[in-house]
Amino acid sequence: MRKVFRDDHEMFREQARRFIEREIVPHLEHWESQGIVPKEVWLKAGEAGLLCSTVPEEYGGPGGDYGHSAVMIEELARVNATAVGFTTHSEIVANYIVAYGSEEQKQRWLPGMVSGEIIGVLGLSEPSIGSDLRSMRTQFKRDGDGYRISGQKTFITNGRNADLVVTAGKLDLNEKKLTLLCVETDREGFAKGRLLSKIGLKGQDTSELFFDDVHVPKENLLGEEDKGFGYLFHQLAWERLIIAIRAATCIEAMLEETLEYVKTRTVFDRTVFDFQNTQFKLAEAKAQVTMLRAFVDDCLAKVMVDELTGEEAAMAKLVGSEMQGKLLDEFLQLHGGYGFMSEYRVSRAWVDARVARIYGGTSEIMKQIIAKAM
Ligand SMILES: Cc1cc2nc3c(=O)[nH]c(=O)nc-3n(C[C@H](O)[C@H](O)[C@H](O)COP(=O)(O)OP(=O)(O)OC[C@H]3O[C@@H](n4cnc5c(N)ncnc54)[C@H](O)[C@@H]3O)c2cc1C
């Protein structure tokens, strides 16, 4: 048992694993063909107590900690079900509301997010900006008792299923300060764009969102005006650690699967594992992922006591996602032609892993963050 987890985390893992094996794994291929996970699955996960691990009990949540969050993230990654967008909803959007929401906002949205009735999304990226959030063009105008929103977001995870968008924009486009607003998707002027066609994470409904002079009351302001960057900075560290946790789990799962494959596949009268090249590749992979896991668990222990720095999270994401890309490519190679077949999990894991070096901040941005702290 890993030191970072307690008995209650491991019990939760059993529960999560059973649910994922029963309600998710058998349907993944179908959802990939549809480009979306049906809302009923969210409701089932909510009923099973698997959404929004860290939401306190007073708002209907399980009242867990980041250890429970990590368990759920790992269990989804283990079976390559990252396309199921629970994590963005449960571990990112809900966290913003818990951390910065007013009492009234928490009462209004969190119970529905816990039950899966309200699906939350985070809308930061725009067609012309992703890395450079300071150049955001979405405009928030003060208007009587609230705000009017004009702008467009893109690449938004869970975008088609969305019921509530935590979005960022500017009160003054000439300034760099960001403000966060919560927008219910049934408001006039709000529209969802097309389901974006992607090379991987095909079951995830990634979409554009449009705000055409959408009015929200002042009660939808999250935290304080112009403080958005501080909020993002704090939350992005956890978001990046999530990607590193997934990377470590995915590598471990695919290493196990590859080992099983090479020990049974026979070539030139011996198993693929009998070649020294295979043994060395897998030994290197084992050594690397063991080191990654130690650092990621250390970061997880830190996030549990609110001590994870942006720099540590950037290092975990950079090394984890780059290692994932490199090792999955080698695992696929060891499968030969079967590695290129969609029915083999390694092929889908390889494609899905590509985005880990891009979203949540690209590898180049991670290097920038690390260098800045030197
Ligand atoms: C599947 C998927 C899901 C996503 N989900 C969400 C979501 O839910 N919500 C959301 O808001 N966004 C989401 N995103 C967007 C994602 O966060 C951005 O794509 C990412 O931050 C990169 O921004 P960009 O695409 O605009 O690339 P750009 O910023 O245009 O970068 C292009 C290239 O320039 C490089 N570059 C940029 N700045 C520098 C620099 N200073 N130094 C060196 N190189 C640099 C980048 O590393 C990259 O290689 C998602 C993206 C994908 C693909």
Side-chain angles (χ1 to χ4, degrees):
M1 191 166 126
R2 281 151 55 200
K3 274 193 210 141
V4 70
F5 293 119
R6 302 182 304 260
D7 285 348
D8 61 308
H9 293 132
E10 294 304 338
M11 275 160 64
F12 180 62
R13 188 186 297 282
E14 287 305 310
Q15 188 193 341
R17 188 170 292 190
R18 272 199 306 273
F19 178 88
I20 291 168
E21 292 289 351
R22 190 180 66 238
E23 302 291 347
I24 291 184
V25 174
H27 308 289
L28 278 174
E29 223 173 295
H30 177 63
W31 298 338
E32 282 183 359
S33 73
Q34 304 296 300
I36 192 161
V37 174
K39 283 200 169 187
E40 300 89 80
V41 184
W42 291 77
L43 295 174
K44 282 185 188 173
E47 202 175 327
L50 299 178
L51 297 178
C52 304
S53 296
T54 57
V55 168
E57 288 172 12
E58 63 214 90
Y59 307 113
D65 58 24
Y66 283 112
H68 297 94
S69 305
V71 163
M72 193 62 191
I73 294 160
E74 289 180 5
E75 289 307 307
L76 287 167
R78 199 179 65 82
V79 294
N80 197 36
T82 300
V84 179
F86 292 168
T87 306
T88 303
H89 163 87
S90 299
E91 311 303 342
I92 299 176
V93 184
N95 277 20
Y96 273 92
I97 297 173
V98 170
Y100 312 115
S102 65
E103 184 57 29
E104 183 274 327
Q105 287 173 335
K106 291 178 189 176
Q107 299 281 1
R108 186 155 37 129
W109 292 312
L110 290 175
M113 291 185 72
V114 171
S115 68
E117 282 157 297
I118 298 176
I119 297 180
V121 305
L122 182 67
L124 305 179
S125 305
E126 300 178 358
S128 56
I129 66 103
S131 307
D132 181 15
L133 292 174
R134 284 170 207 275
S135 301
M136 198 172 277
R137 302 308 300 162
T138 295
Q139 184 156 29
F140 298 163
K141 280 189 190 151
R142 290 188 196 90
D143 176 40
D145 67 335
Y147 303 89
R148 292 206 165 268
I149 309 168
S150 301
Q152 183 183 342
K153 299 290 174 183
T154 194
F155 302 146
I156 306 306
T157 301
N158 302 334
R160 292 292 298 187
N161 271 335
D163 299 296
L164 181 70
V165 186
V166 171
T167 195
K170 288 179 178 173
L171 288 161
D172 180 349
L173 287 182
N174 298 316
E175 293 264 348
K176 297 197 165 159
K177 293 172 187 160
L178 297 182
T179 295
L180 302 185
L181 288 175
C182 298
V183 186
E184 298 90 344
T185 57
D186 55 2
R187 288 195 178 269
E188 208 181 317
F190 176 85
K192 296 172 183 176
R194 67 199 162 92
L195 207 52
L196 299 171
S197 168
K198 310 187 291 300
I199 58 167
L201 291 185
K202 284 179 179 287
Q204 187 169 98
D205 55 315
T206 312
S207 177
E208 296 164 306
L209 305 177
F210 300 97
F211 302 86
D212 181 8
D213 205 26
V214 179
H215 180 266
V216 292
K218 65 177 185 328
E219 288 75 22
N220 282 28
L221 171 69
L222 194 63
E224 293 176 45
E225 287 182 356
D226 291 337
K227 295 271 173 75
F229 257 117
Y231 304 154
L232 292 184
F233 186 77
H234 194 72
Q235 296 296 324
L236 275 169
W238 166 234
E239 194 182 334
R240 288 168 181 157
L241 182 61
I242 289 173
I243 295 166
I245 292 172
R246 274 191 197 134
T249 309
C250 174
I251 297 169
E252 286 167 352
M254 288 305 125
L255 173 59
E256 216 172 286
E257 203 150 306
T258 305
L259 201 52
E260 212 176 291
Y261 181 83
V262 296
K263 283 188 170 176
T264 50
R265 175 78 175 167
T266 316
V267 194
F268 295 110
D269 299 326
R270 61 176 92 167
T271 69
V272 175
F273 184 72
D274 289 331
F275 297 115
Q276 192 187 50
N277 174 65
T278 307
Q279 293 174 18
F280 280 12
K281 289 273 180 223
L282 296 180
E284 277 169 20
K286 171 94 182 169
Q288 286 178 42
V289 74
T290 302
M291 306 274 276
L292 175 67
R293 180 56 87 191
F295 184 61
V296 167
D297 275 0
D298 185 51
C299 289
L300 179 57
K302 284 185 173 157
V303 89
M304 284 162 84
V305 290
D306 201 18
E307 282 178 6
L308 181 71
T309 67
E311 183 197 8
E312 287 164 327
M315 290 194 284
K317 182 186 185 284
L318 174 67
V319 174
S321 61
E322 293 286 338
M323 189 187 291
Q324 187 183 14
K326 181 173 158 287
L327 293 182
L328 289 192
D329 196 70
E330 288 177 355
F331 296 162
L332 188 151
Q333 185 71 13
L334 289 171
H335 279 74
Y338 290 102
F340 201 66
M341 298 298 121
S342 304
E343 68 193 270
Y344 277 74
R345 202 129 78 179
V346 72
S347 72
R348 300 218 310 282
W350 176 77
V351 183
D352 288 352
R354 186 61 186 87
V355 76
R357 286 180 264 166
I358 297 169
Y359 67 9
T362 63
S363 288
E364 292 70 30
I365 297 299
M366 296 307 102
K367 289 178 198 175
Q368 217 179 34
I369 293 170
I370 299 161
K372 218 180 242 178
M374 278 175 170

